[in-house]
Amino acid sequence: MNQKLFLEFVNPIKDKIYRLSLRLLVSKDAAEDATQEVMIRLWNMKDKLEDYRSPQALAMTITKNYCFDQLKAKKNNNLRIIHSNYEDGNKTSLQKEIEAKDELLKVKEIIKNLTEQEQMLIQLRDIEQLEYEEMVEITQMNPTAIRVALSRARKKIRKEILKKHNYGIA
């Protein structure tokens, strides 16, 4: 694989790699470093990428593992999840924009309190919008286990949102 083909492969997924890194590492600098490191690793194995059924899933797995290694190495002590890629395209009223950002912060706070596995599954499925087959390759989990864990995570999020809005659910 030459440089041009590699760039054609990497360009569509580099933002996904960055967003997953940012989700796991929190710091923008750490996420940029992780993205760069994953790109280097992919470049070093560029001749083997065609052997993989889903090179994108491989890239996401490398990203996930690298980020976990960084967290385990205590290079990133901040385990909060903050996703600052939110933009309101409509730009209606200032009040609605403030409410939307406030709601997003509440959801981020709720996601922060999920287990690491639930956080990753929410990131991969609901934010990155990966298919279940890709998630299986990345997480090495059974598809049914992924669906069950996602369902439970979403129920936790829903319950907390309703609780914060004082809708009082059981």
Side-chain angles (χ1 to χ4, degrees), residues 105-119:
L105 288 174
K106 288 177 185 176
V107 172
K108 288 178 192 175
E109 193 64 32
I110 292 168
I111 292 174
K112 177 176 84 171
N113 293 317
L114 296 175
T115 66
E116 197 172 271
Q117 180 186 55
E118 291 170 332
Q119 290 175 17

Side-chain angles (χ1 to χ4, degrees), residues 15-24 60 63 81-85 111 114-130 135 138 150 153-154 157:
D15 289 338
K16 287 183 178 184
I17 291 171
Y18 175 76
R19 285 192 304 269
L20 179 60
S21 300
L22 184 61
R23 172 70 59 184
L24 295 172
M60 299 303 281
T63 303
I81 292 183
I82 297 191
H83 187 59
S84 61
N85 291 342
I111 292 174
L114 296 175
T115 66
E116 197 172 271
Q117 180 186 55
E118 291 170 332
Q119 290 175 17
M120 182 185 317
L121 292 175
I122 291 288
Q123 170 74 24
L124 293 175
R125 181 67 180 167
D126 295 335
I127 297 171
E128 299 298 332
Q129 298 184 350
L130 295 182
M135 293 174 66
I138 292 168
L150 262 174
R154 289 174 180 148
I157 293 169

Side-chain angles (χ1 to χ4, degrees), residues 15-166:
D15 289 338
K16 287 183 178 184
I17 291 171
Y18 175 76
R19 285 192 304 269
L20 179 60
S21 300
L22 184 61
R23 172 70 59 184
L24 295 172
L25 298 175
V26 178
S27 161
K28 288 183 180 183
D29 291 335
E32 289 171 1
D33 290 345
T35 302
Q36 192 170 27
E37 181 62 31
V38 170
M39 294 299 166
I40 291 170
R41 290 180 184 189
L42 289 170
W43 174 254
N44 289 337
M45 58 187 303
K46 66 184 180 292
D47 295 327
K48 299 175 191 167
L49 288 177
E50 294 165 352
D51 297 340
Y52 290 91
R53 189 170 48 137
S54 176
Q56 180 178 348
L58 172 68
M60 299 303 281
T61 302
I62 292 171
T63 303
K64 174 195 72 166
N65 291 338
Y66 178 81
C67 291
F68 285 163
D69 289 346
Q70 293 302 303
L71 291 170
K72 287 177 188 172
K74 303 284 187 213
K75 288 187 177 179
N76 186 343
N77 293 326
N78 190 354
L79 298 179
R80 294 178 299 119
I81 292 183
I82 297 191
H83 187 59
S84 61
N85 291 342
Y86 174 76
E87 291 183 74
D88 184 9
N90 296 334
K91 296 290 183 200
T92 53
S93 72
L94 179 60
Q95 180 65 26
K96 285 186 179 184
E97 187 175 339
I98 291 171
E99 287 175 3
K101 286 183 180 184
D102 186 48
E103 195 67 27
L104 181 65
L105 288 174
K106 288 177 185 176
V107 172
K108 288 178 192 175
E109 193 64 32
I110 292 168
I111 292 174
K112 177 176 84 171
N113 293 317
L114 296 175
T115 66
E116 197 172 271
Q117 180 186 55
E118 291 170 332
Q119 290 175 17
M120 182 185 317
L121 292 175
I122 291 288
Q123 170 74 24
L124 293 175
R125 181 67 180 167
D126 295 335
I127 297 171
E128 299 298 332
Q129 298 184 350
L130 295 182
E131 296 297 324
Y132 285 105
E133 296 80 28
E134 294 173 299
M135 293 174 66
V136 166
E137 290 184 37
I138 292 168
T139 62
Q140 300 299 312
M141 291 175 63
N142 179 309
T144 305
I146 291 174
R147 286 183 180 87
V148 169
L150 262 174
S151 175
R152 289 179 181 160
R154 289 174 180 148
K155 284 179 184 177
K156 287 180 187 178
I157 293 169
R158 181 179 182 273
K159 181 179 178 182
E160 288 300 313
I161 288 172
L162 292 174
K163 190 189 313 181
K164 287 184 188 262
H165 283 292
N166 297 319

